[in-house]
Amino acid sequence: MIKKITLLFLGLWMLIPFHGLAATGSNISIDMHYLVVSPAEDGSTNLMNMVNYSNSSSKEYKGDGKSEAVLKVTLPDHARDLNFLDSKIAFKQVDKGFITTTSVPANQTTVLPYSYRIPKGKEIKLTMDYPVGIMQILVPEGMGSVEVTGAEATSQGTFQFDDQNYYGYSIEGLKENQTFTLIYKKDVQPPSDRSSSSSKQSSSTTDNGNTSNVTHTAPAFHNPGHIRMWEESPLHSLNPHIFLIIVGVIIIAGISSFIYFKRKARLEEERLSADKEEKAFKQLIAKQKAIMDKIIELEESFNAGKLPEDEYQAKLAAYKQHLIQVKLSLRSFIE
């Protein structure tokens, strides 16, 4: 019990998902939900989730007693490639998601981090099995936008973490059993914070102060000098209008090719950036777990009388400081 309390007490804050997490029992609550949405290489949608369950009771929470489930997670239809990121919590996959079988200590918190994918073209329909106060949806900049139907979502603008910008959306006051749909548009970017400048139209002012548009018209005939130059050129046997059309097509084709390969390179760069971000996120999670394990080992050694109190306190303070730095990095990842 001591090591569980120590572990959960140091788990001060984490990220939270929002789709179908059913907290059974009135003593379990969920403060916030977070979801990072990004495109996968195969065209599917990757959804990275984390949830923080708090047990406000003075008793250890072991579920509703009707099954072995302590916490239940219901995934959307068509979800695949579930990846549970916490090896310290026992879980089992079930028909519509997964359950955990590790109890939540009294007055403490349990964190569930996991991810999954929704295949291309499949609907992401989410049903809340519990009321949700605030839900945060995050999309890496340049990787599209989301649209929510069935609930009111508010745009939160952009923010930066580790040289990567994100666009955020917020949903408040979701009710129990409320259903809404998340539409991910990876090719549609959110509106820019900067307003686009309007096109300007040339105008002139008349003597009475009224403004009128100025229109420049082409002459009704070709310039004689241009005609003479064409007749004296090696291309005079060609129709000049057809020649200009061919040149225009070549220029347009060149510009189109340049834009295509430029966009292809940008998409590849965005994909590599997304992989780098997910790798960094997982490394932070692993580092946090390693520090918590060290704290547990230190606690056990001290309780067994293998360490003097001054050495124990010094090492515990160092571990706590390191843990705080890791948690600040995780906080910056989603805020």
Side-chain angles (χ1 to χ4, degrees):
M1 177 62 70
I2 293 178
K3 71 178 184 180
K4 287 184 178 180
I5 292 177
T6 302
L7 175 61
L8 271 301
F9 177 77
L10 292 172
L12 301 176
W13 181 92
M14 285 296 288
L15 318 178
I16 316 166
F18 61 86
H19 50 269
L21 294 173
T24 58
S26 59
N27 294 326
I28 294 292
S29 62
I30 300 175
D31 302 324
M32 289 284 295
H33 291 253
Y34 290 89
L35 172 70
V36 180
V37 183
S38 61
E41 296 181 6
D42 60 357
S44 61
T45 302
N46 187 47
L47 298 101
M48 181 182 296
N49 309 270
M50 298 192 76
V51 61
N52 187 331
Y53 285 97
S54 298
N55 181 8
S56 60
S57 172
S58 59
K59 297 181 180 180
E60 186 177 23
Y61 181 74
K62 299 182 179 180
D64 59 4
K66 298 179 181 179
S67 66
E68 62 178 334
V70 175
L71 301 174
K72 178 184 176 183
V73 178
T74 303
L75 300 178
D77 293 338
H78 315 296
R80 67 181 189 185
D81 298 336
L82 172 65
N83 184 19
F84 192 75
L85 304 175
D86 192 341
S87 60
K88 297 295 182 180
I89 300 177
F91 82 101
K92 294 182 180 180
Q93 286 193 248
V94 294
D95 184 32
K96 294 184 179 181
F98 67 91
I99 61 172
T100 67
T101 56
T102 303
S103 61
V104 183
N107 298 315
Q108 301 298 330
T109 298
T110 289
V111 175
L112 299 185
Y114 61 95
S115 65
Y116 59 89
R117 295 186 180 188
I118 298 295
K120 181 179 180 181
K122 297 297 184 180
E123 185 179 48
I124 308 175
K125 195 168 186 178
L126 312 172
T127 299
M128 300 297 100
D129 298 316
Y130 49 89
V132 178
I134 300 177
M135 179 183 304
Q136 295 289 340
I137 306 172
L138 310 174
V139 181
E141 186 179 47
M143 296 187 185
S145 59
V146 297
E147 178 181 329
V148 177
T149 60
E152 185 176 352
T154 304
S155 297
Q156 299 297 310
T158 59
F159 61 93
Q160 188 179 59
F161 169 75
D162 195 19
D163 297 328
Q164 173 67 58
N165 289 332
Y166 295 85
Y167 197 90
Y169 304 84
S170 177
I171 304 176
E172 298 184 9
L174 287 171
K175 299 179 180 179
E176 184 177 356
N177 297 323
Q178 182 174 348
T179 299
F180 68 94
T181 302
L182 178 66
I183 304 171
Y184 176 47
K185 302 179 179 180
K186 67 177 182 179
D187 296 323
V188 179
Q189 306 307 321
S192 173
D193 294 336
R194 300 182 300 272
S195 59
S196 59
S197 58
S198 59
S199 59
K200 296 183 180 179
Q201 183 180 35
S202 299
S203 62
S204 63
T205 304
T206 60
D207 294 339
N208 59 8
N210 295 328
T211 301
S212 62
N213 293 334
V214 177
T215 304
H216 299 278
T217 59
F221 54 87
H222 291 290
N223 189 296
H226 293 168
I227 296 177
R228 183 169 58 254
M229 290 176 59
W230 177 262
E231 293 295 338
E232 295 176 355
S233 71
L235 303 174
H236 67 276
S237 59
L238 299 176
N239 185 304
H241 300 99
I242 295 178
F243 176 76
L244 289 176
I245 292 174
I246 294 174
V247 171
V249 170
I250 294 174
I251 293 175
I252 293 174
I255 295 175
S256 299
S257 298
F258 174 79
I259 294 174
Y260 169 77
F261 288 107
K262 189 74 173 179
R263 183 175 183 273
K264 184 178 180 181
R266 180 176 62 82
L267 292 175
E268 179 66 17
E269 182 180 351
E270 291 174 353
R271 183 187 66 80
L272 294 175
S273 176
D275 292 343
K276 178 181 177 182
E277 174 198 339
E278 184 172 356
K279 182 179 179 181
F281 178 82
K282 290 182 178 180
Q283 287 176 345
L284 286 173
I285 292 293
K287 184 179 292 185
Q288 178 182 248
K289 295 303 177 186
I291 296 172
M292 289 182 173
D293 290 342
K294 289 291 184 181
I295 293 174
I296 294 172
E297 293 176 5
L298 181 66
E299 183 79 22
E300 293 175 342
S301 297
F302 176 69
N303 292 335
K306 297 180 180 179
L307 289 176
E309 184 173 358
D310 56 346
E311 183 179 351
Y312 163 74
Q313 293 296 341
K315 289 185 177 181
L316 181 60
Y319 284 139
K320 284 183 177 181
Q321 184 62 32
H322 195 184
L323 183 62
I324 289 173
Q325 296 299 324
V326 172
K327 287 183 176 294
L328 287 176
S329 297
L330 284 171
R331 183 186 294 271
S332 301
F333 190 82
I334 55 85
E335 287 186 347

